[in-house]
Amino acid sequence: MKNLKTIAIALFVAAASISVNAQTKKIDAKASSIKWVGKKVTGEHSGTVNFKDGAVVLKGKKLVGGTFTVDMTSLTSTDLTGEYQGKLNGHLKADDFFGTDKFPTATLVIKKIGTKAKNVYTATADLTIKGITKPINFDLAVKGNTATTAFKVDRTKYDIKYGSGNFFQGLGDKTINDEFELAVALKF
């Protein structure tokens, strides 16, 4: 019985020290940014989408996790203005693409972190877009209270097939690449 109490106390102290060592830091959603680029046969469009909230989890100075929510209703193109920008933004928010009326947020939850180099991590995360969750891998560089990453997302995995040459025939120069690019800068 005495050994059982000793083991229970040791486990409690170990669990308490683990939670004390891990620190959750909220991101500054206004100072953090997400830039996107979508390419097609005849060119590309670029823009931004805003964070709603998010947090990184650190043990000391080492990144060990994170959870982020993106406000998909903030999706906008920055390479167009006026009527053309309004048309593209409307189309991107429609059900053909991100369906922001039904799915106003997207989430990314880091599930696993590995060290690639000093202050550079490999992350495996669950990305949820349009209610569909798929794993995604990317590198993340951390310096002080900032983190940056760039990666590609295959939109067809999230039921965004509009203009995809893999799903529709005869699109010609109207074909849109299945992958879009994201460049993310976090401030925390």
Side-chain angles (χ1 to χ4, degrees):
M1 187 68 168
K2 186 176 181 180
N3 284 342
L4 189 57
K5 285 182 182 177
T6 304
I7 291 171
I9 290 171
L11 287 173
F12 177 76
V13 169
S17 68
I18 288 171
S19 65
V20 168
N21 288 337
Q23 178 185 12
T24 300
K25 287 184 146 187
K26 287 189 172 199
I27 65 165
D28 181 340
K30 298 241 185 264
S32 299
S33 66
I34 305 170
K35 296 179 181 177
W36 58 264
V37 175
K39 297 182 178 180
K40 55 187 180 174
V41 173
T42 58
E44 65 183 43
H45 289 294
S46 58
T48 61
V49 62
N50 299 327
F51 282 101
K52 185 173 182 179
D53 57 44
V56 294
V57 181
L58 303 166
K59 274 190 184 175
K61 293 183 178 184
K62 186 177 179 185
L63 181 70
V64 295
T67 303
F68 311 93
T69 303
V70 176
D71 176 7
M72 294 304 293
T73 65
S74 70
L75 182 66
T76 189
S77 65
T78 55
D79 64 311
L80 299 173
T81 58
E83 178 185 350
Y84 294 109
Q85 181 188 42
K87 285 181 179 182
L88 179 58
N89 288 351
H91 195 200
L92 291 173
K93 292 177 182 181
D95 290 341
D96 283 349
F97 280 94
F98 294 98
T100 61
D101 285 343
K102 292 180 197 165
F103 305 100
T105 61
T107 59
L108 184 129
V109 178
I110 296 175
K111 295 294 193 177
K112 185 176 158 187
I113 294 275
T115 302
K116 185 172 184 175
K118 184 178 180 186
N119 299 322
V120 179
Y121 302 91
T122 57
T124 300
D126 283 343
L127 177 61
T128 303
I129 299 173
K130 291 181 77 171
I132 300 168
T133 303
K134 298 287 182 185
I136 191 159
N137 299 303
F138 55 91
D139 291 342
L140 188 66
V142 178
K143 185 175 181 182
N145 65 344
T146 64
T148 57
T149 186
F151 58 94
K152 294 180 181 181
V153 176
D154 182 345
R155 65 189 173 93
T156 63
K157 291 181 179 181
Y158 303 93
D159 197 31
I160 305 169
K161 298 175 183 169
Y162 181 87
S164 170
N166 288 322
F167 292 91
F168 301 99
Q169 300 297 316
L171 293 173
D173 65 0
K174 303 250 188 261
T175 302
I176 301 169
N177 291 11
D178 288 347
E179 291 185 325
F180 60 90
E181 301 168 10
L182 295 175
V184 181
L186 302 173
K187 303 277 187 202
F188 48 89

